[in-house]
Amino acid sequence: MNVMTRPEPITPATPTRAFIDAPTLAPQALPKPNMITVEEAKAMDVARMTDLFKAHMNPGQLHFMKLLGFHKIKVERAEGMHYIDQNGRKILDFFGGFGSLAFGHNHPRLLEARKRFQEEKRHEIAIAFMSQYQAAFTHNLAACSPGDLDMVFLGSSGSEAMEAAVKVAERAAGPRKPKVVYAENSFHGKTKGVLSITDGSLYRGEFRLVENTVRVPFGDIDAIEHAFRSDPAIGTIVLETVQGGGGIITAPTEFWRKLRALCDKYGVLWVADEVQCGYGRTGRFYAFEHHGVVPDVTALAKSLGGGKTAMGAMIARREVFTKAYGTPKTAMIHAPATFGGMGEACVTSIEALNVLYDEGLIDNAASTGAYLLERLQTLQAKYPKIIKEVRGQGLMVGLEFQDFSQTLPMVLRPMVAMLDDKLKGSLSGFVGALLLRDYDVLVAFTEYNRNVIRLEPPLICTAEHVDTFIATLDDLLGRGIVAIVKDFVKSQMG
């Protein structure tokens, strides 16, 4: 017979949590917490913003904002291509929210569509009923999509759209082909599913991720074919058509056409991540359209909500979607979330798609983007010791600087070269900080190649905006590396 004994109490390693008094059953007025009103938030100064950021958001991130001088800016309003700060200073936006601002800031047609929706008190949450706004928006997305990409799932972010894309592909591929191929230097999101196919140790952060993945070099068709041939359990491949976080990296048309043929040959579903490079940014609605191929599943987000609302979408071929969720028994496996396709979000996105074509913004991305690349290549020829490469398509452009040692006189290069890895990103950071401080221009950076400045201005960008940007960059680089470093150091001491 087993004799049960009372275990010794466990002494907690940390102090026990405090308890609060349970509310009485009698009705009583609850005291209002000490909260900030909307008007008080609007009037908040930079010092108070900084205190609250440190107290409640991300104090570690503040370190990098201070390095770049971004912590001194309080944006009061934004319009078109510009932010306007607390001092009335107009900041030219060549960052574009990582591609989230195709229409610039506060496009009047989008504001008007949202205003009418609110004034008429139309419905937001339509989970129990069908929504005319969801129906119209999904129709429009299918109309903009080539081939038989016509089944749409709506969410609120790029990560959510990509989660839906990977799930529908895995379901359609079936239980015998559960493995997913992804590329080096990829970025597909920060939720745990797509984090498993995001190739960055910083973001992976030692989380326990899914293990049914295979990693290949981006753009290496031989490595992909070898993976497909050697492992019949591979059912899906997920690739950004243009790697944004990787430093604006593209692959040639030949690669994409061979990829399509290999996927068909080995029964692998191709998921094209167009969250950042899609929606007209490269001069076509989808970046893969440049190559004359169509994936099995794709995803959009960023500018899909017009810069006014959070919207993401997965678009799949009907055959793929039906295999995954095509019966009453399977239809609810990945049904829309509570905030997927809210009324005002859909209305905003419907209007945004119409604006995209009515104002010729995709064509403008192609022509103005070509002009931006041409002007940057002229600068590269002028400053070859500073600018290593200019690349991209449309208004998705990467400006890569040389390693720090290569910008210095020959006598100093051998000593500094040993520090190049530690100094990666320093020059792009110096340039980005000084562009903002001295020229009122905002640019972005990339996750994996820190020597790259990422340029994703709104699709309303004109040749005049490009000329302004090029003139400021030319003036800054003309100071020379030593002066740039000194000026940056001074900015940190001020």
Side-chain angles (χ1 to χ4, degrees), residues 79-119:
E79 184 175 355
M81 286 288 296
H82 295 89
Y83 290 101
I84 297 91
D85 78 355
Q86 70 270 32
N87 301 311
R89 178 170 68 136
K90 293 179 71 175
I91 299 170
L92 181 62
D93 186 6
F94 262 62
F95 172 20
F98 293 124
S100 298
L101 292 161
F103 307 95
H105 300 271
N106 289 309
H107 191 287
R109 276 182 58 176
L110 303 185
L111 295 181
E112 181 59 30
R114 292 168 69 85
K115 180 181 177 183
R116 288 198 306 272
F117 184 94
Q118 294 163 11
E119 288 175 346

Side-chain angles (χ1 to χ4, degrees), residues 20-33:
I20 59 173
D21 294 333
T24 62
L25 296 179
Q28 61 177 336
L30 293 174
K32 182 179 179 180

